[in-house]
Structures are given as C-alpha cells and as structure tokens.
Amino acid sequence: MLNKLTIQGKIFKDFEVKTSESGVDYAHFTISWYEKYKDKKQKCYVNCVAYGHNAKFLEKFFSKGDMVLVEGKLLSVKYDDHGHEKWANQLHVDSFHFCVPKGQAVATDEDSEDEGDEVLPF
C-alpha cells in the first residue's frame, strides 16, 4: 500500500525538540494552510511529528511562521485523554524542504489573517 503525503504550509506555532525515555529526539508541530473553493476560504491544519535527525533539522532551520514543505506518511495514533481512548491522525515526517531562503518572508494574502495566537480547532 502507498502511504505518502506531501504538504506545503506554514509552521503554525513554536515547538521544541524533546527526548523520549528511550533516547530518541522528537518534535510535535502543526502545519497550516488555506484551502479555497469559489469565494470561500478555510484554514486547514495537520499535526506532524519528526524523529531523530529530522527533529534536530527542524529545530535548527525552522521556526513559527516559516513556510515549509514536508513529506511523510499519515498514521493514526491512539492516546489517552483523561481515561478515554482517542485516536488522531499525524503526519510522520520523512523529510523537510525549504520553500524560500532563510530570513526571506513569503508574502501571501493570508498573512493578514495569520494571528499565530489562535486556538487550534481540535
């Protein structure tokens, strides 16, 4: 089965690289972008996780608001929410790609709407 997803968007909020009990570095982050259909526009999000050298690469070269293209596989993960079993989809990142040179902003019509402090809808 083929499971490959490529998404381009902005890193939605600040993240930090953590280390698991088994010694593996990881970073959870969210990519956001806009989908347009006719005259309607909706902000979309995907939760991502990077492991090992990918997490360190993310930490070194990217920060909140940076445009990035990520590739990976979409997986469903189970987690415990105060005693209730829940499932969520996550993009497990295999690679990152720069969309613009570091320090150069990407001007989009959505920038005026990007507050960065908004609450994720999930």
Side-chain angles (χ1 to χ4, degrees), residues 23-61:
V24 176
D25 293 327
Y26 67 94
H28 288 274
F29 62 102
T30 302
I31 300 290
S32 67
W33 69 96
Y34 284 92
E35 289 290 331
K36 296 178 187 177
Y37 179 72
K38 296 187 180 184
D39 57 346
K40 294 183 180 184
K41 184 167 54 172
Q42 177 180 354
K43 194 162 190 179
C44 302
Y45 307 88
V46 66
N47 289 321
C48 304
V49 63
Y51 294 100
H53 69 277
N54 282 331
K56 290 297 191 177
F57 183 84
L58 177 70
E59 180 179 49
K60 184 175 181 179
F61 293 107

PDB file of all heavy atoms in Angstrom, residues 23-61:
ATOM      1  N   GLY A  23      15.581   7.634  24.539  1.00  0.00           N
ATOM      2  CA  GLY A  23      16.690   8.412  23.996  1.00  0.00           C
ATOM      3  C   GLY A  23      16.504   8.932  22.582  1.00  0.00           C
ATOM      4  O   GLY A  23      17.443   9.423  21.966  1.00  0.00           O
ATOM      5  N   VAL A  24      15.287   8.858  22.036  1.00  0.00           N
ATOM      6  CA  VAL A  24      15.023   9.320  20.676  1.00  0.00           C
ATOM      7  C   VAL A  24      14.514  10.770  20.724  1.00  0.00           C
ATOM      8  O   VAL A  24      13.579  11.082  21.464  1.00  0.00           O
ATOM      9  CB  VAL A  24      13.974   8.425  19.981  1.00  0.00           C
ATOM     10  CG1 VAL A  24      13.614   8.957  18.609  1.00  0.00           C
ATOM     11  CG2 VAL A  24      14.479   6.995  19.891  1.00  0.00           C
ATOM     12  N   ASP A  25      15.137  11.647  19.942  1.00  0.00           N
ATOM     13  CA  ASP A  25      14.676  13.031  19.835  1.00  0.00           C
ATOM     14  C   ASP A  25      13.410  13.074  18.991  1.00  0.00           C
ATOM     15  O   ASP A  25      13.291  12.352  17.999  1.00  0.00           O
ATOM     16  CB  ASP A  25      15.742  13.910  19.176  1.00  0.00           C
ATOM     17  CG  ASP A  25      16.987  14.061  20.036  1.00  0.00           C
ATOM     18  OD1 ASP A  25      16.854  14.076  21.264  1.00  0.00           O
ATOM     19  OD2 ASP A  25      18.086  14.156  19.458  1.00  0.00           O
ATOM     20  N   TYR A  26      12.460  13.947  19.373  1.00  0.00           N
ATOM     21  CA  TYR A  26      11.233  14.108  18.598  1.00  0.00           C
ATOM     22  C   TYR A  26      10.695  15.526  18.769  1.00  0.00           C
ATOM     23  O   TYR A  26      11.011  16.219  19.731  1.00  0.00           O
ATOM     24  CB  TYR A  26      10.174  13.082  19.011  1.00  0.00           C
ATOM     25  CG  TYR A  26       9.646  13.275  20.411  1.00  0.00           C
ATOM     26  CD1 TYR A  26       8.481  14.016  20.646  1.00  0.00           C
ATOM     27  CD2 TYR A  26      10.295  12.734  21.512  1.00  0.00           C
ATOM     28  CE1 TYR A  26       7.995  14.198  21.932  1.00  0.00           C
ATOM     29  CE2 TYR A  26       9.829  12.909  22.788  1.00  0.00           C
ATOM     30  CZ  TYR A  26       8.677  13.646  22.999  1.00  0.00           C
ATOM     31  OH  TYR A  26       8.199  13.840  24.268  1.00  0.00           O
ATOM     32  N   ALA A  27       9.899  15.958  17.808  1.00  0.00           N
ATOM     33  CA  ALA A  27       9.247  17.268  17.869  1.00  0.00           C
ATOM     34  C   ALA A  27       7.848  17.152  17.283  1.00  0.00           C
ATOM     35  O   ALA A  27       7.666  16.628  16.186  1.00  0.00           O
ATOM     36  CB  ALA A  27      10.050  18.300  17.088  1.00  0.00           C
ATOM     37  N   HIS A  28       6.858  17.616  18.033  1.00  0.00           N
ATOM     38  CA  HIS A  28       5.488  17.717  17.546  1.00  0.00           C
ATOM     39  C   HIS A  28       5.289  19.152  17.073  1.00  0.00           C
ATOM     40  O   HIS A  28       5.672  20.090  17.757  1.00  0.00           O
ATOM     41  CB  HIS A  28       4.486  17.413  18.659  1.00  0.00           C
ATOM     42  CG  HIS A  28       4.437  15.979  19.043  1.00  0.00           C
ATOM     43  ND1 HIS A  28       3.643  15.067  18.395  1.00  0.00           N
ATOM     44  CD2 HIS A  28       5.094  15.286  20.002  1.00  0.00           C
ATOM     45  CE1 HIS A  28       3.800  13.874  18.940  1.00  0.00           C
ATOM     46  NE2 HIS A  28       4.687  13.985  19.921  1.00  0.00           N
ATOM     47  N   PHE A  29       4.675  19.311  15.904  1.00  0.00           N
ATOM     48  CA  PHE A  29       4.397  20.640  15.384  1.00  0.00           C
ATOM     49  C   PHE A  29       3.191  20.558  14.462  1.00  0.00           C
ATOM     50  O   PHE A  29       2.721  19.471  14.125  1.00  0.00           O
ATOM     51  CB  PHE A  29       5.623  21.224  14.665  1.00  0.00           C
ATOM     52  CG  PHE A  29       6.075  20.443  13.466  1.00  0.00           C
ATOM     53  CD1 PHE A  29       5.768  20.873  12.189  1.00  0.00           C
ATOM     54  CD2 PHE A  29       6.813  19.269  13.616  1.00  0.00           C
ATOM     55  CE1 PHE A  29       6.189  20.152  11.081  1.00  0.00           C
ATOM     56  CE2 PHE A  29       7.238  18.545  12.518  1.00  0.00           C
ATOM     57  CZ  PHE A  29       6.920  18.984  11.239  1.00  0.00           C
ATOM     58  N   THR A  30       2.679  21.719  14.070  1.00  0.00           N
ATOM     59  CA  THR A  30       1.490  21.787  13.226  1.00  0.00           C
ATOM     60  C   THR A  30       1.781  22.641  12.006  1.00  0.00           C
ATOM     61  O   THR A  30       2.405  23.700  12.115  1.00  0.00           O
ATOM     62  CB  THR A  30       0.308  22.387  14.014  1.00  0.00           C
ATOM     63  OG1 THR A  30       0.066  21.582  15.165  1.00  0.00           O
ATOM     64  CG2 THR A  30      -0.954  22.442  13.174  1.00  0.00           C
ATOM     65  N   ILE A  31       1.336  22.173  10.849  1.00  0.00           N
ATOM     66  CA  ILE A  31       1.434  22.922   9.599  1.00  0.00           C
ATOM     67  C   ILE A  31       0.034  23.463   9.292  1.00  0.00           C
ATOM     68  O   ILE A  31      -0.953  22.742   9.445  1.00  0.00           O
ATOM     69  CB  ILE A  31       1.883  22.005   8.436  1.00  0.00           C
ATOM     70  CG1 ILE A  31       3.245  21.382   8.714  1.00  0.00           C
ATOM     71  CG2 ILE A  31       1.876  22.767   7.113  1.00  0.00           C
ATOM     72  CD1 ILE A  31       4.389  22.335   8.666  1.00  0.00           C
ATOM     73  N   SER A  32      -0.041  24.721   8.852  1.00  0.00           N
ATOM     74  CA  SER A  32      -1.332  25.294   8.474  1.00  0.00           C
ATOM     75  C   SER A  32      -1.256  25.855   7.056  1.00  0.00           C
ATOM     76  O   SER A  32      -0.197  26.257   6.588  1.00  0.00           O
ATOM     77  CB  SER A  32      -1.744  26.396   9.454  1.00  0.00           C
ATOM     78  OG  SER A  32      -0.879  27.502   9.350  1.00  0.00           O
ATOM     79  N   TRP A  33      -2.403  25.847   6.390  1.00  0.00           N
ATOM     80  CA  TRP A  33      -2.522  26.404   5.043  1.00  0.00           C
ATOM     81  C   TRP A  33      -3.988  26.728   4.806  1.00  0.00           C
ATOM     82  O   TRP A  33      -4.854  26.399   5.610  1.00  0.00           O
ATOM     83  CB  TRP A  33      -2.004  25.415   3.988  1.00  0.00           C
ATOM     84  CG  TRP A  33      -2.852  24.207   3.805  1.00  0.00           C
ATOM     85  CD1 TRP A  33      -3.823  24.013   2.861  1.00  0.00           C
ATOM     86  CD2 TRP A  33      -2.843  23.014   4.597  1.00  0.00           C
ATOM     87  NE1 TRP A  33      -4.413  22.780   3.014  1.00  0.00           N
ATOM     88  CE2 TRP A  33      -3.824  22.147   4.077  1.00  0.00           C
ATOM     89  CE3 TRP A  33      -2.114  22.595   5.699  1.00  0.00           C
ATOM     90  CZ2 TRP A  33      -4.087  20.898   4.619  1.00  0.00           C
ATOM     91  CZ3 TRP A  33      -2.373  21.356   6.236  1.00  0.00           C
ATOM     92  CH2 TRP A  33      -3.339  20.518   5.699  1.00  0.00           C
ATOM     93  N   TYR A  34      -4.261  27.418   3.708  1.00  0.00           N
ATOM     94  CA  TYR A  34      -5.630  27.772   3.350  1.00  0.00           C
ATOM     95  C   TYR A  34      -6.081  26.985   2.136  1.00  0.00           C
ATOM     96  O   TYR A  34      -5.333  26.828   1.183  1.00  0.00           O
ATOM     97  CB  TYR A  34      -5.751  29.264   3.037  1.00  0.00           C
ATOM     98  CG  TYR A  34      -5.753  30.129   4.263  1.00  0.00           C
ATOM     99  CD1 TYR A  34      -4.574  30.644   4.757  1.00  0.00           C
ATOM    100  CD2 TYR A  34      -6.933  30.414   4.934  1.00  0.00           C
ATOM    101  CE1 TYR A  34      -4.572  31.432   5.889  1.00  0.00           C
ATOM    102  CE2 TYR A  34      -6.937  31.202   6.065  1.00  0.00           C
ATOM    103  CZ  TYR A  34      -5.754  31.707   6.541  1.00  0.00           C
ATOM    104  OH  TYR A  34      -5.756  32.474   7.662  1.00  0.00           O
ATOM    105  N   GLU A  35      -7.314  26.516   2.180  1.00  0.00           N
ATOM    106  CA  GLU A  35      -7.976  25.901   1.039  1.00  0.00           C
ATOM    107  C   GLU A  35      -9.040  26.880   0.569  1.00  0.00           C
ATOM    108  O   GLU A  35      -9.770  27.454   1.388  1.00  0.00           O
ATOM    109  CB  GLU A  35      -8.630  24.577   1.425  1.00  0.00           C
ATOM    110  CG  GLU A  35      -7.659  23.460   1.696  1.00  0.00           C
ATOM    111  CD  GLU A  35      -6.949  22.961   0.457  1.00  0.00           C
ATOM    112  OE1 GLU A  35      -7.521  23.037  -0.654  1.00  0.00           O
ATOM    113  OE2 GLU A  35      -5.814  22.486   0.603  1.00  0.00           O
ATOM    114  N   LYS A  36      -9.117  27.076  -0.734  1.00  0.00           N
ATOM    115  CA  LYS A  36     -10.118  27.989  -1.286  1.00  0.00           C
ATOM    116  C   LYS A  36     -11.008  27.225  -2.252  1.00  0.00           C
ATOM    117  O   LYS A  36     -10.548  26.388  -3.023  1.00  0.00           O
ATOM    118  CB  LYS A  36      -9.426  29.126  -2.038  1.00  0.00           C
ATOM    119  CG  LYS A  36      -8.593  30.001  -1.163  1.00  0.00           C
ATOM    120  CD  LYS A  36      -7.897  31.076  -1.977  1.00  0.00           C
ATOM    121  CE  LYS A  36      -6.937  31.843  -1.111  1.00  0.00           C
ATOM    122  NZ  LYS A  36      -6.193  32.851  -1.848  1.00  0.00           N
ATOM    123  N   TYR A  37     -12.279  27.517  -2.186  1.00  0.00           N
ATOM    124  CA  TYR A  37     -13.236  26.992  -3.147  1.00  0.00           C
ATOM    125  C   TYR A  37     -14.221  28.104  -3.449  1.00  0.00           C
ATOM    126  O   TYR A  37     -14.937  28.567  -2.549  1.00  0.00           O
ATOM    127  CB  TYR A  37     -13.963  25.763  -2.597  1.00  0.00           C
ATOM    128  CG  TYR A  37     -14.977  25.210  -3.555  1.00  0.00           C
ATOM    129  CD1 TYR A  37     -14.569  24.544  -4.707  1.00  0.00           C
ATOM    130  CD2 TYR A  37     -16.329  25.379  -3.335  1.00  0.00           C
ATOM    131  CE1 TYR A  37     -15.491  24.046  -5.601  1.00  0.00           C
ATOM    132  CE2 TYR A  37     -17.261  24.883  -4.230  1.00  0.00           C
ATOM    133  CZ  TYR A  37     -16.833  24.223  -5.365  1.00  0.00           C
ATOM    134  OH  TYR A  37     -17.745  23.736  -6.261  1.00  0.00           O
ATOM    135  N   LYS A  38     -14.219  28.523  -4.700  1.00  0.00           N
ATOM    136  CA  LYS A  38     -15.011  29.676  -5.139  1.00  0.00           C
ATOM    137  C   LYS A  38     -14.640  30.871  -4.273  1.00  0.00           C
ATOM    138  O   LYS A  38     -13.480  31.252  -4.232  1.00  0.00           O
ATOM    139  CB  LYS A  38     -16.486  29.350  -5.141  1.00  0.00           C
ATOM    140  CG  LYS A  38     -16.841  28.270  -6.147  1.00  0.00           C
ATOM    141  CD  LYS A  38     -18.314  28.072  -6.267  1.00  0.00           C
ATOM    142  CE  LYS A  38     -18.592  26.976  -7.292  1.00  0.00           C
ATOM    143  NZ  LYS A  38     -19.993  26.791  -7.535  1.00  0.00           N
ATOM    144  N   ASP A  39     -15.576  31.443  -3.540  1.00  0.00           N
ATOM    145  CA  ASP A  39     -15.254  32.615  -2.733  1.00  0.00           C
ATOM    146  C   ASP A  39     -15.140  32.286  -1.244  1.00  0.00           C
ATOM    147  O   ASP A  39     -15.111  33.178  -0.407  1.00  0.00           O
ATOM    148  CB  ASP A  39     -16.272  33.731  -2.959  1.00  0.00           C
ATOM    149  CG  ASP A  39     -17.694  33.289  -2.663  1.00  0.00           C
ATOM    150  OD1 ASP A  39     -17.922  32.071  -2.549  1.00  0.00           O
ATOM    151  OD2 ASP A  39     -18.571  34.167  -2.563  1.00  0.00           O
ATOM    152  N   LYS A  40     -15.053  31.011  -0.910  1.00  0.00           N
ATOM    153  CA  LYS A  40     -14.909  30.596   0.485  1.00  0.00           C
ATOM    154  C   LYS A  40     -13.468  30.173   0.748  1.00  0.00           C
ATOM    155  O   LYS A  40     -12.830  29.542  -0.090  1.00  0.00           O
ATOM    156  CB  LYS A  40     -15.859  29.455   0.823  1.00  0.00           C
ATOM    157  CG  LYS A  40     -17.311  29.859   0.760  1.00  0.00           C
ATOM    158  CD  LYS A  40     -18.194  28.727   1.170  1.00  0.00           C
ATOM    159  CE  LYS A  40     -19.644  29.164   1.096  1.00  0.00           C
ATOM    160  NZ  LYS A  40     -20.553  28.138   1.572  1.00  0.00           N
ATOM    161  N   LYS A  41     -12.976  30.506   1.933  1.00  0.00           N
ATOM    162  CA  LYS A  41     -11.617  30.165   2.313  1.00  0.00           C
ATOM    163  C   LYS A  41     -11.649  29.545   3.708  1.00  0.00           C
ATOM    164  O   LYS A  41     -12.324  30.047   4.599  1.00  0.00           O
ATOM    165  CB  LYS A  41     -10.764  31.433   2.315  1.00  0.00           C
ATOM    166  CG  LYS A  41      -9.318  31.187   2.609  1.00  0.00           C
ATOM    167  CD  LYS A  41      -8.439  32.381   2.315  1.00  0.00           C
ATOM    168  CE  LYS A  41      -8.833  33.642   2.971  1.00  0.00           C
ATOM    169  NZ  LYS A  41      -7.861  34.708   2.813  1.00  0.00           N
ATOM    170  N   GLN A  42     -10.924  28.434   3.870  1.00  0.00           N
ATOM    171  CA  GLN A  42     -10.891  27.734   5.146  1.00  0.00           C
ATOM    172  C   GLN A  42      -9.449  27.455   5.521  1.00  0.00           C
ATOM    173  O   GLN A  42      -8.663  27.000   4.687  1.00  0.00           O
ATOM    174  CB  GLN A  42     -11.657  26.417   5.056  1.00  0.00           C
ATOM    175  CG  GLN A  42     -11.608  25.612   6.325  1.00  0.00           C
ATOM    176  CD  GLN A  42     -12.372  24.297   6.209  1.00  0.00           C
ATOM    177  OE1 GLN A  42     -13.035  24.030   5.218  1.00  0.00           O
ATOM    178  NE2 GLN A  42     -12.255  23.477   7.228  1.00  0.00           N
ATOM    179  N   LYS A  43      -9.098  27.697   6.784  1.00  0.00           N
ATOM    180  CA  LYS A  43      -7.759  27.389   7.259  1.00  0.00           C
ATOM    181  C   LYS A  43      -7.718  25.915   7.658  1.00  0.00           C
ATOM    182  O   LYS A  43      -8.609  25.420   8.356  1.00  0.00           O
ATOM    183  CB  LYS A  43      -7.376  28.258   8.446  1.00  0.00           C
ATOM    184  CG  LYS A  43      -5.886  28.199   8.746  1.00  0.00           C
ATOM    185  CD  LYS A  43      -5.442  29.350   9.600  1.00  0.00           C
ATOM    186  CE  LYS A  43      -3.940  29.398   9.677  1.00  0.00           C
ATOM    187  NZ  LYS A  43      -3.488  30.521  10.488  1.00  0.00           N
ATOM    188  N   CYS A  44      -6.697  25.209   7.195  1.00  0.00           N
ATOM    189  CA  CYS A  44      -6.541  23.778   7.451  1.00  0.00           C
ATOM    190  C   CYS A  44      -5.273  23.542   8.268  1.00  0.00           C
ATOM    191  O   CYS A  44      -4.336  24.333   8.205  1.00  0.00           O
ATOM    192  CB  CYS A  44      -6.453  23.024   6.136  1.00  0.00           C
ATOM    193  SG  CYS A  44      -7.872  23.265   5.077  1.00  0.00           S
ATOM    194  N   TYR A  45      -5.258  22.439   8.973  1.00  0.00           N
ATOM    195  CA  TYR A  45      -4.141  22.102   9.838  1.00  0.00           C
ATOM    196  C   TYR A  45      -3.835  20.613   9.730  1.00  0.00           C
ATOM    197  O   TYR A  45      -4.736  19.809   9.524  1.00  0.00           O
ATOM    198  CB  TYR A  45      -4.475  22.380  11.309  1.00  0.00           C
ATOM    199  CG  TYR A  45      -4.962  23.764  11.593  1.00  0.00           C
ATOM    200  CD1 TYR A  45      -6.317  24.081  11.497  1.00  0.00           C
ATOM    201  CD2 TYR A  45      -4.078  24.756  11.983  1.00  0.00           C
ATOM    202  CE1 TYR A  45      -6.773  25.356  11.773  1.00  0.00           C
ATOM    203  CE2 TYR A  45      -4.524  26.031  12.262  1.00  0.00           C
ATOM    204  CZ  TYR A  45      -5.871  26.326  12.162  1.00  0.00           C
ATOM    205  OH  TYR A  45      -6.311  27.581  12.424  1.00  0.00           O
ATOM    206  N   VAL A  46      -2.576  20.265   9.928  1.00  0.00           N
ATOM    207  CA  VAL A  46      -2.213  18.863  10.088  1.00  0.00           C
ATOM    208  C   VAL A  46      -1.144  18.788  11.177  1.00  0.00           C
ATOM    209  O   VAL A  46      -0.199  19.577  11.208  1.00  0.00           O
ATOM    210  CB  VAL A  46      -1.724  18.202   8.771  1.00  0.00           C
ATOM    211  CG1 VAL A  46      -0.432  18.788   8.283  1.00  0.00           C
ATOM    212  CG2 VAL A  46      -1.600  16.687   8.940  1.00  0.00           C
ATOM    213  N   ASN A  47      -1.370  17.873  12.118  1.00  0.00           N
ATOM    214  CA  ASN A  47      -0.389  17.640  13.177  1.00  0.00           C
ATOM    215  C   ASN A  47       0.722  16.768  12.623  1.00  0.00           C
ATOM    216  O   ASN A  47       0.463  15.790  11.926  1.00  0.00           O
ATOM    217  CB  ASN A  47      -1.037  16.960  14.382  1.00  0.00           C
ATOM    218  CG  ASN A  47      -1.958  17.896  15.118  1.00  0.00           C
ATOM    219  OD1 ASN A  47      -1.658  19.069  15.275  1.00  0.00           O
ATOM    220  ND2 ASN A  47      -3.090  17.386  15.547  1.00  0.00           N
ATOM    221  N   CYS A  48       1.953  17.136  12.949  1.00  0.00           N
ATOM    222  CA  CYS A  48       3.126  16.421  12.445  1.00  0.00           C
ATOM    223  C   CYS A  48       4.028  16.030  13.607  1.00  0.00           C
ATOM    224  O   CYS A  48       4.010  16.653  14.667  1.00  0.00           O
ATOM    225  CB  CYS A  48       3.930  17.320  11.500  1.00  0.00           C
ATOM    226  SG  CYS A  48       3.004  17.988  10.122  1.00  0.00           S
ATOM    227  N   VAL A  49       4.833  15.015  13.364  1.00  0.00           N
ATOM    228  CA  VAL A  49       5.870  14.632  14.317  1.00  0.00           C
ATOM    229  C   VAL A  49       7.111  14.242  13.519  1.00  0.00           C
ATOM    230  O   VAL A  49       7.019  13.588  12.485  1.00  0.00           O
ATOM    231  CB  VAL A  49       5.402  13.498  15.268  1.00  0.00           C
ATOM    232  CG1 VAL A  49       5.100  12.227  14.510  1.00  0.00           C
ATOM    233  CG2 VAL A  49       6.409  13.249  16.371  1.00  0.00           C
ATOM    234  N   ALA A  50       8.249  14.724  13.994  1.00  0.00           N
ATOM    235  CA  ALA A  50       9.539  14.394  13.378  1.00  0.00           C
ATOM    236  C   ALA A  50      10.398  13.709  14.435  1.00  0.00           C
ATOM    237  O   ALA A  50      10.370  14.096  15.608  1.00  0.00           O
ATOM    238  CB  ALA A  50      10.220  15.661  12.869  1.00  0.00           C
ATOM    239  N   TYR A  51      11.172  12.728  14.014  1.00  0.00           N
ATOM    240  CA  TYR A  51      12.016  11.970  14.932  1.00  0.00           C
ATOM    241  C   TYR A  51      13.483  12.085  14.546  1.00  0.00           C
ATOM    242  O   TYR A  51      13.814  12.313  13.382  1.00  0.00           O
ATOM    243  CB  TYR A  51      11.627  10.477  14.907  1.00  0.00           C
ATOM    244  CG  TYR A  51      10.245  10.201  15.441  1.00  0.00           C
ATOM    245  CD1 TYR A  51       9.181  10.008  14.572  1.00  0.00           C
ATOM    246  CD2 TYR A  51      10.016  10.142  16.802  1.00  0.00           C
ATOM    247  CE1 TYR A  51       7.905   9.750  15.054  1.00  0.00           C
ATOM    248  CE2 TYR A  51       8.741   9.886  17.297  1.00  0.00           C
ATOM    249  CZ  TYR A  51       7.695   9.693  16.414  1.00  0.00           C
ATOM    250  OH  TYR A  51       6.443   9.446  16.895  1.00  0.00           O
ATOM    251  N   GLY A  52      14.360  11.871  15.525  1.00  0.00           N
ATOM    252  CA  GLY A  52      15.800  11.766  15.287  1.00  0.00           C
ATOM    253  C   GLY A  52      16.401  12.978  14.604  1.00  0.00           C
ATOM    254  O   GLY A  52      16.176  14.112  15.009  1.00  0.00           O
ATOM    255  N   HIS A  53      17.157  12.722  13.523  1.00  0.00           N
ATOM    256  CA  HIS A  53      17.846  13.815  12.839  1.00  0.00           C
ATOM    257  C   HIS A  53      16.858  14.790  12.196  1.00  0.00           C
ATOM    258  O   HIS A  53      17.161  15.971  12.047  1.00  0.00           O
ATOM    259  CB  HIS A  53      18.840  13.274  11.798  1.00  0.00           C
ATOM    260  CG  HIS A  53      18.209  12.614  10.616  1.00  0.00           C
ATOM    261  ND1 HIS A  53      17.801  11.307  10.639  1.00  0.00           N
ATOM    262  CD2 HIS A  53      17.895  13.101   9.393  1.00  0.00           C
ATOM    263  CE1 HIS A  53      17.267  11.010   9.463  1.00  0.00           C
ATOM    264  NE2 HIS A  53      17.307  12.078   8.689  1.00  0.00           N
ATOM    265  N   ASN A  54      15.654  14.308  11.830  1.00  0.00           N
ATOM    266  CA  ASN A  54      14.643  15.215  11.280  1.00  0.00           C
ATOM    267  C   ASN A  54      14.177  16.226  12.328  1.00  0.00           C
ATOM    268  O   ASN A  54      13.940  17.394  12.017  1.00  0.00           O
ATOM    269  CB  ASN A  54      13.443  14.444  10.737  1.00  0.00           C
ATOM    270  CG  ASN A  54      13.712  13.829   9.396  1.00  0.00           C
ATOM    271  OD1 ASN A  54      14.498  14.333   8.610  1.00  0.00           O
ATOM    272  ND2 ASN A  54      13.064  12.699   9.125  1.00  0.00           N
ATOM    273  N   ALA A  55      14.038  15.798  13.569  1.00  0.00           N
ATOM    274  CA  ALA A  55      13.646  16.713  14.647  1.00  0.00           C
ATOM    275  C   ALA A  55      14.728  17.766  14.864  1.00  0.00           C
ATOM    276  O   ALA A  55      14.443  18.958  15.031  1.00  0.00           O
ATOM    277  CB  ALA A  55      13.383  15.945  15.937  1.00  0.00           C
ATOM    278  N   LYS A  56      15.992  17.341  14.855  1.00  0.00           N
ATOM    279  CA  LYS A  56      17.106  18.284  15.037  1.00  0.00           C
ATOM    280  C   LYS A  56      17.213  19.242  13.850  1.00  0.00           C
ATOM    281  O   LYS A  56      17.519  20.425  14.017  1.00  0.00           O
ATOM    282  CB  LYS A  56      18.424  17.526  15.232  1.00  0.00           C
ATOM    283  CG  LYS A  56      18.504  16.811  16.560  1.00  0.00           C
ATOM    284  CD  LYS A  56      18.456  17.810  17.682  1.00  0.00           C
ATOM    285  CE  LYS A  56      18.797  17.155  18.999  1.00  0.00           C
ATOM    286  NZ  LYS A  56      18.820  18.113  20.108  1.00  0.00           N
ATOM    287  N   PHE A  57      16.960  18.758  12.630  1.00  0.00           N
ATOM    288  CA  PHE A  57      16.981  19.602  11.434  1.00  0.00           C
ATOM    289  C   PHE A  57      15.884  20.665  11.532  1.00  0.00           C
ATOM    290  O   PHE A  57      16.111  21.845  11.249  1.00  0.00           O
ATOM    291  CB  PHE A  57      16.777  18.731  10.188  1.00  0.00           C
ATOM    292  CG  PHE A  57      16.862  19.483   8.895  1.00  0.00           C
ATOM    293  CD1 PHE A  57      18.096  19.723   8.311  1.00  0.00           C
ATOM    294  CD2 PHE A  57      15.726  19.943   8.263  1.00  0.00           C
ATOM    295  CE1 PHE A  57      18.190  20.408   7.106  1.00  0.00           C
ATOM    296  CE2 PHE A  57      15.804  20.639   7.061  1.00  0.00           C
ATOM    297  CZ  PHE A  57      17.039  20.869   6.481  1.00  0.00           C
ATOM    298  N   LEU A  58      14.700  20.251  11.949  1.00  0.00           N
ATOM    299  CA  LEU A  58      13.587  21.170  12.133  1.00  0.00           C
ATOM    300  C   LEU A  58      13.954  22.262  13.135  1.00  0.00           C
ATOM    301  O   LEU A  58      13.740  23.451  12.889  1.00  0.00           O
ATOM    302  CB  LEU A  58      12.361  20.397  12.620  1.00  0.00           C
ATOM    303  CG  LEU A  58      11.108  21.187  12.948  1.00  0.00           C
ATOM    304  CD1 LEU A  58      10.485  21.729  11.674  1.00  0.00           C
ATOM    305  CD2 LEU A  58      10.114  20.315  13.689  1.00  0.00           C
ATOM    306  N   GLU A  59      14.518  21.859  14.255  1.00  0.00           N
ATOM    307  CA  GLU A  59      14.893  22.807  15.309  1.00  0.00           C
ATOM    308  C   GLU A  59      15.945  23.801  14.825  1.00  0.00           C
ATOM    309  O   GLU A  59      15.884  24.984  15.151  1.00  0.00           O
ATOM    310  CB  GLU A  59      15.420  22.035  16.517  1.00  0.00           C
ATOM    311  CG  GLU A  59      15.843  22.906  17.674  1.00  0.00           C
ATOM    312  CD  GLU A  59      16.328  22.079  18.831  1.00  0.00           C
ATOM    313  OE1 GLU A  59      17.163  21.167  18.618  1.00  0.00           O
ATOM    314  OE2 GLU A  59      15.891  22.342  19.962  1.00  0.00           O
ATOM    315  N   LYS A  60      16.875  23.336  14.027  1.00  0.00           N
ATOM    316  CA  LYS A  60      17.988  24.180  13.579  1.00  0.00           C
ATOM    317  C   LYS A  60      17.566  25.181  12.502  1.00  0.00           C
ATOM    318  O   LYS A  60      18.032  26.321  12.503  1.00  0.00           O
ATOM    319  CB  LYS A  60      19.118  23.292  13.053  1.00  0.00           C
ATOM    320  CG  LYS A  60      20.354  24.047  12.646  1.00  0.00           C
ATOM    321  CD  LYS A  60      21.475  23.106  12.261  1.00  0.00           C
ATOM    322  CE  LYS A  60      22.725  23.889  11.871  1.00  0.00           C
ATOM    323  NZ  LYS A  60      23.830  23.008  11.520  1.00  0.00           N
ATOM    324  N   PHE A  61      16.694  24.786  11.595  1.00  0.00           N
ATOM    325  CA  PHE A  61      16.433  25.604  10.415  1.00  0.00           C
ATOM    326  C   PHE A  61      15.036  26.228  10.324  1.00  0.00           C
ATOM    327  O   PHE A  61      14.816  27.085   9.468  1.00  0.00           O
ATOM    328  CB  PHE A  61      16.681  24.782   9.146  1.00  0.00           C
ATOM    329  CG  PHE A  61      18.121  24.420   8.960  1.00  0.00           C
ATOM    330  CD1 PHE A  61      18.544  23.115   9.164  1.00  0.00           C
ATOM    331  CD2 PHE A  61      19.056  25.372   8.588  1.00  0.00           C
ATOM    332  CE1 PHE A  61      19.881  22.775   8.993  1.00  0.00           C
ATOM    333  CE2 PHE A  61      20.383  25.046   8.420  1.00  0.00           C
ATOM    334  CZ  PHE A  61      20.800  23.740   8.618  1.00  0.00           C
TER     335      PHE A  61
END
